[in-house]
Amino acid sequence: MTTNTGEAMQPLIAGNWKMHGLASRLGEIEAVSVSIRARPIYADVLICPPATLLARAVQAAAGSIAIGGQDCDCESTGAFTGDISAEMLKDTGACAVIVGHSERRQRHGETDAMVAAKVTAAWRAGLLAIVCIGESEAQRLAGKALTVCGDQIAGSLPAVMASSAVAIGYEPLWAIGSGSMPSPEEITQMHQHIRQCLVAHWGAAGKLVRILYGGSVKPSNAREILALPEVGGALVGGESLEAMDFETICRSVPPA
Ligand code: PEP
């Protein structure tokens, strides 16, 4: 996977399988991986399966696709039953982790401060952290989307860490799994705002952080979304489960 350290960085297409997938689904990863080896793709491709599949997913990906976790604890080790550290993810062969997904913020009460601690943990372990932010429908209707997302970035990024270890996933809550989406103008406006926040946080290095759009991305809309200014990739939920759909989305990235 390319890193945020130079101009040659490619868009990142990340699939989030959520709590879907038994071993029988590993063939989907293998199919995407075989196809990428046969015909080049102009993006970094990452799949984040459930933790139970990570090690086998790394095998199935055979180096053509990066594999990542969907969450990590902020501690590296300890008496924390059921939790998984960033170091444990790394140990499976994973190279990235999603943190602060809205489903975790909502179902597990994760706050910006908890997310920031997880981002630090990912950095410590050498994983790319995909930091998710996004406004609710009520917040957008109230005209607060930019402020809410700016505040989430400020609260979820640790003060001291390298920008190269982070990507941002902008996922409006109301667009996740709903088929609804912001307009191209709204996506552009938000991504430009996020860029300003990243530059305020990191200076010039903030210009290199990839900002992924997530929420109802599918084969039929990926090309248009990925061509928008400041869209550096996509975070894909439901449509990442089937190899053919996910590959079509990955192939929607034009050559540089
Ligand atoms: C997600 O939850 O990360 C997501 C983007 O889901 P979907 O693509 O299904 O809207």
Side-chain angles (χ1 to χ4, degrees):
M1 188 144 64
T2 54
T3 53
N4 310 350
T5 49
E7 297 305 318
M9 190 177 50
Q10 303 201 90
L12 171 62
I13 309 296
N16 173 14
W17 280 14
K18 312 192 184 195
M19 203 173 75
H20 298 292
L22 302 175
S24 55
R25 196 166 273 284
L26 288 166
E28 305 297 326
I29 293 180
E30 209 174 324
V32 178
S33 151
V34 166
S35 161
I36 288 178
R37 275 201 299 284
R39 191 154 65 93
I41 217 155
Y42 306 106
D44 290 332
V45 178
L46 169 73
I47 293 182
C48 300
T52 48
L53 294 181
L54 280 172
R56 284 173 288 175
V58 169
Q59 299 284 319
S64 306
I65 301 173
I67 298 298
Q70 299 176 11
D71 177 48
C72 66
D73 196 82
C74 61
E75 303 291 343
S76 54
T77 184
F80 308 115
T81 304
D83 290 326
I84 299 178
S85 71
E87 284 78 2
M88 289 167 178
L89 295 179
K90 180 84 175 176
D91 192 43
T92 67
C95 64
V97 61
I98 298 170
V99 289
H101 191 283
S102 60
E103 286 153 13
R104 293 206 62 85
R105 289 179 186 261
Q106 288 173 326
R107 297 189 77 231
H108 299 269
E110 291 190 7
T111 62
D112 287 342
M114 291 160 77
V115 174
K118 291 177 181 215
V119 177
T120 301
W123 183 41
R124 182 186 66 214
L127 300 175
L128 174 76
I130 301 177
V131 184
C132 296
I133 59 163
E135 82 284 359
S136 67
E137 187 168 26
Q139 288 165 333
R140 177 158 285 274
L141 291 175
K144 294 183 180 159
L146 297 180
T147 314
V148 166
C149 291
D151 290 349
Q152 283 179 336
I153 289 187
S156 304
L157 293 181
V160 183
M161 71 169 290
S163 63
S164 57
V166 164
I168 303 292
Y170 167 56
E171 301 202 302
L173 274 56
W174 50 277
I176 294 177
S178 66
S180 303
M181 282 181 62
S183 67
E185 293 74 24
E186 287 168 330
I187 294 176
T188 301
Q189 183 192 37
M190 179 60 82
H191 280 235
Q192 287 172 337
H193 178 65
I194 293 170
R195 178 66 68 209
Q196 284 171 8
C197 296
L198 294 172
V199 170
H201 192 83
W202 274 305
K207 291 186 187 156
L208 299 175
V209 175
R210 286 178 283 200
I211 307 170
L212 318 184
Y213 170 77
S216 297
V217 176
K218 51 189 176 193
S220 59
N221 62 21
R223 193 169 294 275
E224 184 188 11
I225 294 166
L226 290 165
L228 294 173
E230 297 293 4
V231 173
L235 186 47
V236 185
E239 301 288 324
S240 68
L241 291 167
E242 305 281 342
M244 218 186 297
D245 294 330
F246 189 57
E247 193 193 329
T248 305
I249 293 170
C250 295
R251 291 200 185 280
S252 301
V253 176

